[in-house]
Amino acid sequence: MIPARWRKVWHDLWGNKIRTLLVVASIAVGVFAVGSVSSSFIILLGDMDADYQSVNPHGAILYCDLFDDELLASVRKVPGVEEVEGRSTVAARIVTDTDEKIFIEIIAIPPIDEMHIDRIRSDPPGETLPLLQDHEIFLERSAVSELGVEPGDLIEVKLSDERLRTLRVAEIVHDVTGYPLVFSGQATGFVTPETLEWLGGMQDYDQMYITVSEGKTDEAHVKAIAEAVANKVERSGRTVYFTFVYQPGRHFASDITQALGAMMGFLGGLAVFLSAFLVVNTINALLNQHIRQIGIMKSIGARTSQITGMYLGMVLLFGLLALLVGLPLAAVAGYDTAKGISGLLNFNVGPFRIPPITLVLTLIIAFIVPIGAAIAPVWNGTRVTIREAINDYGIGGKAPAGKFIDQLVEKIQGLPRPLLISLRNTFRRKARLLLTLSTMTLAGAIFIAVFNLWGAFHVTIDRTLGYFLSDVNVTFNQPQRIQELESLTGNIPDIVGFEGWGFSTSQLLSDDKTTAVEIVIVAPPAGSKLVNPVLTSGRWLVPEDEAAIVIGNHLLKERPGLKVGDEVVIEIEKKEYTWRIVGTYQMAGNVIPPIVYANYEPLARILNESDQIYEARVVTTAHDAATQDRVAVLMEQQFEASGIQISDITTGAENMAKQTASIDVLVYTLMVMAVLIALVGGLGLMGTMSMNVMERNREIGVMRAIGASDFTVQQMVIVEGMVIGTISWFLGALLAFPISLVLDYIVGIAFVTSPLDFIISPYGFMIWLAGVLILSALASYLPARSASRLTVREVLAYE
């Protein structure tokens, strides 16, 4: 036989289905938010590292003159080196039916069973890769969707000398250590050394892959070993052009993923916090409604502990129902999110599972958080004496606090009477109103802050593109005479500007000349109009500058002591030159190696390349993608006909697409969380309006008895909800400012290495205002409809 108090609990749950549904939904949203976020990022971070480590990733890569296996054997003896392998590459362009420019790096590899560093695998994993034959290629999977090819298909590539070669796609493979096409702008393929030679490359190596025996994630240690190897290579008479060390032992997106997980966890925590507010609101309303019932139960012998246990048991049932709904949805959504992000970042996740931490967190959110939120109102509600409970008459029994607000509302005149009643009803339950406003305000603040963050990102992208103001950029394999290039492009329609830029890979030496930082000197012509830097100190280059440079935030990260006015020694082509720092600039993103700007003329004299350039930058009449693509094709044809070999050609539109691709993914992910939080806010408002209607049944009955129409009753409830929504919008707009500042700092440091500028996006404010009014009206409609359908007899008999 079920005890009477538990039958009452069941009756309360089943008897008011709307209230039960609202509470279960609010807790379930918290379970879903935290469960899906924790599940996706635990899977992401764990599987990212497992997949990356499984291929024995490189710690450093040396780009140098050609070398052979004999040099590799001697490098293996360098202390601290675990393994070393050689690679050689050629650059080409895939020829497509649509003339889309897809560049590809083709890498010569040994037989698969002899690869020990950056091993490639089949896609999907687990299958045995076939033996590569001559004129065949393994194509990295990140380019497959762009190219639409399958194993057995033929692809045609155009080499730097304009020759065409046809390759058969032997298999689609996965290279977890490489940058996917969406980030790098180029595909990757793998061939035999013999095929690479057929493609114009060399069987000797030009890249040296190194792993270290210990401290694999210690960047300083890896750099020290790589420097020792570089010294060994240079003693053999070869030149090391660049040493690449970036986040050794970790996937290139590990920091970004951790930062994104932290932000999503923060927003998920807010969703839990808001759902706890809803539990407090609901239990408070329920106890206010049951005060007289509590008095009757006490009068027939019920103890306070029994009544407290009864209501806490009801909360546990709410949590159980929420867990049954929220956990499966969270597990599926979390795993699908992990798979989606891993596909973008080019690594594999394991099979479907629910991480134990996720299970623990969802149990806490479903049971511990609601119980914690309900203890205070339950304890206060069940401690009333029998006399207080029997004498309670609902909302009219005790005058609410906050008379100042009531007096202000009373002074409002001139509005229709139903609207005045709605306005005054809004402030009757001030504690409940405060909780509801807190929920809606936080939801609105986060929604607006995400739009502000989006605006800040796009400003940052625009500033980054200020270093690439040209519409078409052409990079050459070797220096070209500027006069010849200007002549070739002079007759191309739509070109209105042309600049030739210099380039040099160099080393900035320490004061004692014992260590060096790899840098790239980019040299625009004096007075260039195609660079608009963001200066943080000093000034930009002027035509009169000779041995002057402007350094950026990426070099300052390596050498934080550098400042305007310092003189530094830079090694260029094995000779040392002294340069003076005249300014510092800021550029978003990870730039490796750091870029240093100097005037073209002095650098050209040092390199003995006067009137020769490595890069042509042109400006077109219109700056749309169609014009840029058309000009790029014509330039390529002109250079091709003249026998000038092109290393790379890109347009401004392509640069913009690369910059925004990953950012938009981030913002869309944050927007999903903002919508979830807005959903919690809407549920909270719906719950508040339902409770208000239940408490005012007698008032509604009196109004109906004296002639109030269904429309009037509905109008009163809906207007009250929209007033609450409007107030929450105003408060949310104010709170969005500090939240935006925090997001700009955290996201900026994680994604672009510096805080984002604080930007106010009007779209967020306007969209949330429209959204909150619609949400308020919808959240109020069901309670309003319920109130208007009550008969006079039902509401006057309401207990």
Side-chain angles (χ1 to χ4, degrees):
M1 184 71 178
I2 300 175
R5 63 178 182 273
W6 298 117
R7 289 202 302 274
K8 172 175 167 45
V9 168
W10 173 253
H11 177 269
D12 288 335
L13 285 172
W14 189 252
N16 197 322
K17 300 180 185 64
I18 292 179
R19 181 183 63 208
T20 300
L21 180 63
L22 287 172
V23 179
V24 169
S26 64
I27 300 174
V29 167
V31 170
F32 175 81
V34 172
S36 59
V37 169
S38 64
S39 174
S40 61
F41 284 96
I42 289 170
I43 291 173
L44 272 176
L45 292 174
D47 290 6
M48 172 191 287
D49 186 64
D51 196 33
Y52 192 72
Q53 300 304 328
S54 68
V55 301
N56 191 28
H58 66 266
I61 303 175
L62 270 61
Y63 298 83
C64 50
D65 287 336
L66 293 175
F67 60 94
D68 53 19
D69 289 323
E70 185 179 347
L71 180 63
L72 288 177
S74 66
V75 167
R76 288 191 181 94
K77 299 175 183 178
V78 174
V81 172
E82 180 182 61
E83 185 57 76
V84 60
E85 287 184 357
R87 300 279 195 274
S88 51
T89 66
V90 296
R93 203 182 95 183
I94 299 175
V95 179
T96 63
D97 295 335
T98 59
D99 289 329
E100 184 180 2
K101 296 187 295 295
I102 300 178
F103 292 91
I104 182 170
E105 181 184 30
I106 302 176
I107 305 172
I109 58 172
I112 296 298
D113 57 357
E114 296 179 19
M115 286 186 72
H116 302 293
I117 301 177
D118 289 4
R119 293 187 292 264
I120 61 174
R121 296 165 297 180
S122 61
D123 184 63
E127 299 179 4
T128 301
L129 288 174
L131 185 66
L132 262 177
Q133 305 296 326
D134 287 345
H135 305 175
E136 287 189 339
I137 187 171
F138 286 154
L139 194 63
E140 212 288 319
R141 70 179 189 182
S142 65
V144 170
S145 60
E146 188 77 19
L147 296 172
V149 296
E150 297 178 352
D153 290 347
L154 300 178
I155 62 171
E156 191 173 42
V157 298
K158 181 183 288 188
L159 307 177
S160 58
D161 60 4
E162 307 305 327
R163 289 181 299 160
L164 295 175
R165 290 285 189 260
T166 299
L167 295 165
R168 177 182 176 274
V169 178
E171 192 60 84
I172 304 301
V173 299
H174 177 214
D175 176 20
V176 69
T177 63
Y179 286 77
L181 177 66
V182 67
F183 292 104
S184 66
Q186 70 175 10
T188 304
F190 304 91
V191 298
T192 64
E194 293 76 20
T195 299
L196 191 82
E197 188 173 21
W198 175 66
L199 293 170
M202 303 290 290
Q203 289 206 34
D204 280 345
Y205 312 116
D206 57 11
Q207 298 175 18
M208 187 178 293
Y209 285 49
I210 303 166
T211 61
V212 297
S213 54
E214 57 184 21
K216 293 180 181 292
T217 60
D218 184 344
E219 188 165 340
H221 174 69
V222 174
K223 282 184 176 179
I225 301 299
E227 187 174 347
V229 171
N231 291 336
K232 178 84 171 178
V233 172
E234 292 195 330
R235 285 196 298 271
S236 72
R238 298 171 175 86
T239 299
V240 175
Y241 299 105
F242 176 50
T243 301
F244 179 80
V245 178
Y246 177 67
Q247 293 186 353
R250 294 186 295 154
H251 190 276
F252 79 92
S254 60
D255 285 350
I256 294 175
T257 306
Q258 287 176 357
L260 182 59
M263 286 183 297
M264 296 290 286
F266 171 72
L267 295 179
L270 283 179
V272 174
F273 182 63
L274 298 182
S275 66
F277 273 8
L278 300 191
V279 174
V280 172
N281 243 349
T282 302
I283 296 300
N284 267 324
L286 183 65
L287 291 171
N288 284 333
Q289 180 184 344
H290 287 191
I291 287 294
R292 301 189 78 183
Q293 297 180 19
I294 292 172
I296 293 172
M297 285 188 287
K298 285 190 171 184
S299 68
I300 59 176
R303 298 188 302 274
T304 299
S305 59
Q306 290 177 314
I307 299 174
T308 300
M310 183 179 70
Y311 283 102
L312 291 180
M314 181 186 297
V315 174
L316 287 176
L317 286 174
F318 285 146
L320 177 61
L321 293 172
L323 185 69
L324 294 176
V325 173
L327 181 57
L329 293 176
V332 173
Y335 185 74
D336 286 347
T337 300
K339 284 191 68 175
I341 296 177
S342 69
L344 177 70
L345 300 179
N346 204 29
F347 66 90
N348 292 324
V349 296
F352 175 82
R353 62 197 184 277
I354 301 177
I357 295 178
T358 296
L359 187 58
V360 171
L361 288 174
T362 52
L363 288 172
I364 290 173
I365 292 161
F367 298 118
I368 305 301
V369 172
I371 286 293
I375 281 177
V378 167
W379 179 250
N380 291 330
T382 56
R383 290 177 63 195
V384 296
T385 64
I386 296 175
R387 183 182 62 81
E388 289 173 334
I390 297 298
N391 291 333
D392 181 80
Y393 289 94
I395 61 174
K398 187 181 291 185
K403 292 183 179 179
F404 176 73
I405 296 177
D406 295 333
Q407 291 171 357
L408 288 178
V409 174
E410 289 291 339
K411 293 179 181 179
I412 298 175
Q413 302 295 330
L415 296 176
R417 192 159 191 81
L419 295 183
L420 284 174
I421 294 174
S422 297
L423 189 60
R424 291 163 186 170
N425 282 344
T426 301
F427 297 96
R428 290 174 70 171
R429 284 288 188 184
K430 296 179 180 61
R432 183 181 302 160
L433 174 64
L434 181 62
L435 288 173
T436 305
L437 283 177
S438 299
T439 307
M440 297 288 288
T441 297
L442 274 174
I446 292 167
F447 189 91
I448 294 170
V450 169
F451 270 90
N452 290 343
L453 177 66
W454 201 344
F457 259 127
H458 281 281
V459 168
T460 300
I461 291 170
D462 288 341
R463 288 183 174 178
T464 301
L465 294 175
Y467 297 90
F468 309 93
L469 292 178
S470 51
D471 292 291
V472 182
N473 303 326
V474 184
T475 305
F476 305 101
N477 289 330
Q478 54 190 356
Q480 304 292 331
R481 293 207 169 274
I482 188 170
Q483 293 86 353
E484 181 181 0
L485 297 175
E486 286 180 321
S487 175
L488 290 172
T489 58
N491 295 325
I492 295 178
D494 295 319
I495 291 183
V496 295
F498 179 98
E499 285 186 6
W501 287 41
F503 169 91
S504 174
T505 300
S506 310
Q507 290 187 321
L508 188 144
L509 305 180
S510 61
D511 292 339
D512 58 7
K513 299 184 181 179
T514 58
T515 61
V517 175
E518 300 275 357
I519 62 171
V520 170
I521 301 178
V522 175
S528 170
K529 304 297 183 183
L530 297 184
V531 58
N532 181 25
V534 179
L535 292 174
T536 52
S537 66
R539 62 172 176 81
W540 190 246
L541 300 166
V542 296
E544 295 77 22
D545 284 330
E546 284 294 322
I549 57 173
V550 179
I551 65 175
N553 51 305
H554 305 98
L555 180 56
L556 288 171
K557 186 178 180 180
E558 297 282 342
R559 293 287 172 84
L562 295 178
K563 61 183 182 301
V564 173
D566 286 352
E567 290 189 343
V568 295
V569 177
I570 299 178
E571 184 179 275
I572 305 172
E573 299 288 328
K574 300 299 182 181
K575 295 182 180 180
E576 297 178 2
Y577 299 88
T578 300
W579 299 74
R580 183 168 56 89
I581 300 172
V582 298
T584 62
Y585 71 89
Q586 184 179 70
M587 182 189 293
N590 292 308
V591 179
I592 304 174
I595 293 175
V596 169
Y597 284 90
N599 278 335
Y600 163 77
E601 291 78 6
L603 180 64
R605 285 195 295 271
I606 290 173
L607 297 173
N608 196 26
E609 294 174 351
S610 294
D611 297 325
Q612 298 181 71
I613 59 173
Y614 280 92
E615 188 172 323
R617 300 193 179 194
V618 304
V619 180
T620 57
T621 52
H623 307 299
D624 58 282
T627 302
Q628 292 174 351
D629 288 340
R630 183 170 62 252
V631 170
V633 170
L634 292 174
M635 289 180 67
E636 188 174 12
Q637 291 173 351
Q638 285 277 34
F639 295 150
E640 223 177 89
S642 301
I644 297 175
Q645 297 182 5
I646 294 175
S647 171
D648 189 20
I649 181 167
T650 58
T651 65
E654 290 170 343
N655 286 334
M656 173 65 85
K658 291 177 190 176
Q659 291 284 341
T660 57
S662 58
I663 300 305
D664 285 345
V665 171
L666 163 70
V667 175
Y668 293 146
T669 305
L670 292 177
M671 192 60 69
V672 168
M673 291 303 299
V675 170
L676 272 178
I677 292 173
L679 176 62
V680 176
L683 290 172
L685 181 58
M686 184 180 292
T688 295
M689 299 311 300
S690 296
M691 297 168 203
N692 289 347
V693 167
M694 283 189 294
E695 290 180 348
R696 295 171 193 160
N697 273 358
R698 288 193 173 187
E699 295 180 22
I700 293 171
V702 172
M703 293 175 61
R704 297 288 299 279
I706 60 177
S709 65
D710 291 352
F711 174 77
T712 300
V713 173
Q714 290 184 15
Q715 182 188 41
M716 286 172 50
V717 178
I718 292 174
V719 168
E720 183 180 345
M722 295 182 73
V723 168
I724 295 174
T726 304
I727 296 172
S728 75
W729 174 84
F730 177 76
L731 296 176
L734 295 178
L735 186 60
F737 289 93
I739 292 179
S740 297
L741 286 171
V742 172
L743 286 179
D744 287 341
Y745 181 83
I746 296 174
V747 175
I749 292 296
F751 284 83
V752 298
T753 71
S754 61
L756 300 176
D757 289 340
F758 177 66
I759 300 296
I760 297 175
S761 171
Y763 300 107
F765 293 90
M766 292 186 293
I767 292 174
W768 180 245
L769 177 59
V772 79
L773 291 176
I774 295 172
L775 190 64
S776 301
L778 292 176
S780 305
Y781 174 72
L782 285 179
R785 183 170 177 270
S786 175
S788 65
R789 297 179 68 182
L790 293 172
T791 65
V792 175
R793 184 188 62 81
E794 287 174 332
V795 294
L796 291 181
Y798 174 75
E799 183 60 50

